[in-house]
Amino acid sequence: MGLSENTSQTKILLESGTNELEIMEFTISGEVFGINVAKVREILMAQEVKKMPNSHDVVEGVFKPRDEIITVIDLGKYLNLPKPKDIGHDIFIVTHFNKLNFAFRVNSVVGIDRVSWKDIKKPDRVIYGGDEGAATGIAEYKDRLITILDFEKIIAEISPESSIQFEAIEKLGDRKCNDKTILIVEDSMLLSKLIIECLHKAGYKNTVKADNGQEAWDYLLEVKTCGDPIENHVSCIVSDIEMPLM
């Protein structure tokens, strides 16, 4: 099942200012999880997987749906959830982000939900593993809570080389410190941490962090009301395209 049409609709939805997000709801061992539809390329019935030697513990192996080889990740194993007895109807959710394709094994796909950003809450860091937790949000939808997973973090743990790399900055040698303020707006705890670390290595030590669009907007309004030139408080904004709350 291709999702190019759904992905296109999601982009239109976000651009229209409705402040909503489409998430694909799926289950693992009876637990309900979600993924941003914009990250999903297609869903397939689980297929035979070729095991790869010396791979990460949660990597099942690879499969070749067409003319490409895709790595399969056992998402339930990553989340330390018990394996169900019947896996004959498992689903592969094939994702595409950071220019990479991965397939995640789940037990079932429930459907696509349209959720308001105001109904997506930041997870409790104590319950969901602190700053390194796998949940990026908890969505309230009808009569249930859906845990939205931070797939960028999961991939970065399994395949560190696919994430932001510091080597390119280090090759540039010593960098002069720059006191210009940079505002980082990113809801993924992992990505915001990596971006800030990269900026600091590049000499930009003066960074301000916002977890969502509303926090960033409030910060900019506060700066505006103080009467100083905006450049004195923020010279650059690094933002995710999709932002919770606003």
Side-chain angles (χ1 to χ4, degrees):
M1 172 183 174
L3 287 180
S4 57
E5 182 179 349
N6 284 328
T7 302
S8 177
Q9 289 174 348
T10 298
K11 290 177 181 176
I12 294 171
L13 178 69
L14 292 167
E15 290 169 358
S16 68
T18 58
N19 205 23
E20 291 180 322
L21 172 72
E22 282 190 328
I23 59 174
M24 175 176 286
E25 185 179 348
F26 60 90
T27 66
I28 303 174
S29 300
E31 299 287 335
V32 182
F33 299 95
I35 178 174
N36 186 342
V37 168
K39 291 183 171 67
V40 179
R41 196 184 79 177
E42 59 185 327
I43 58 174
L44 303 168
M45 294 299 298
Q47 301 179 25
E48 184 177 349
V49 175
K50 177 178 176 57
K51 294 186 178 299
M52 301 299 292
N54 301 321
S55 60
H56 192 283
D57 187 46
V58 301
V59 173
E60 289 189 30
V62 298
F63 80 117
K64 189 176 180 182
R66 286 177 289 273
D67 295 326
E68 60 180 330
I69 296 175
I70 298 178
T71 300
V72 179
I73 296 168
D74 187 336
L75 192 53
K77 189 172 184 179
Y78 173 85
L79 296 170
N80 293 315
L81 293 173
K83 199 175 190 70
K85 294 180 180 179
D86 180 17
I87 61 172
H89 301 288
D90 279 0
I91 299 292
F92 285 168
I93 297 179
V94 181
T95 62
H96 179 78
F97 51 88
N98 297 345
K99 299 181 180 179
L100 297 171
N101 296 316
F102 289 90
F104 292 86
R105 179 187 289 273
V106 303
N107 298 143
S108 68
V109 170
V110 178
I112 295 175
D113 308 319
R114 185 175 294 180
V115 181
S116 171
W117 277 113
K118 68 181 177 60
D119 293 327
I120 301 176
K121 311 300 181 185
K122 204 69 178 173
D124 187 296
R125 295 188 178 186
V126 175
I127 297 174
Y128 285 95
D131 288 343
E132 306 302 323
T136 190
I138 307 294
E140 298 180 43
Y141 182 74
K142 294 184 177 179
D143 59 345
R144 58 190 178 277
L145 297 176
I146 305 169
T147 303
I148 302 175
L149 297 175
D150 189 341
F151 283 84
E152 283 91 345
K153 175 190 180 298
I154 296 171
I155 294 300
E157 278 190 16
I158 296 169
S159 177
E161 67 277 4
S162 67
S163 187
I164 296 174
Q165 301 296 306
F166 296 126
E167 288 79 0
I169 298 174
E170 292 171 349
K171 288 179 181 178
L172 296 174
D174 293 335
R175 311 292 291 169
K176 290 183 179 180
C177 288
N178 191 309
D179 62 356
K180 297 290 187 181
T181 303
I182 299 179
L183 173 63
I184 295 95
V185 193
E186 172 59 65
D187 59 317
S188 167
M189 289 180 282
L190 169 87
L191 291 181
S192 60
K193 179 181 177 182
L194 291 175
I195 291 168
I196 290 171
E197 287 179 0
C198 282
L199 287 171
H200 287 181
K201 281 182 176 289
Y204 296 91
K205 308 286 187 180
N206 193 5
T207 54
V208 177
K209 168 72 169 58
D211 288 332
N212 55 63
Q214 186 66 58
E215 285 185 10
W217 183 250
D218 291 344
Y219 172 78
L220 294 173
L221 287 180
E222 185 179 346
V223 168
K224 182 180 178 181
T225 56
C226 76
D228 292 342
I230 187 71
E231 294 83 3
N232 292 358
H233 297 274
V234 56
S235 297
C236 178
I237 300 175
V238 180
S239 175
D240 197 352
I241 293 174
E242 297 170 338
M243 277 286 97
L245 299 183
M246 190 174 190

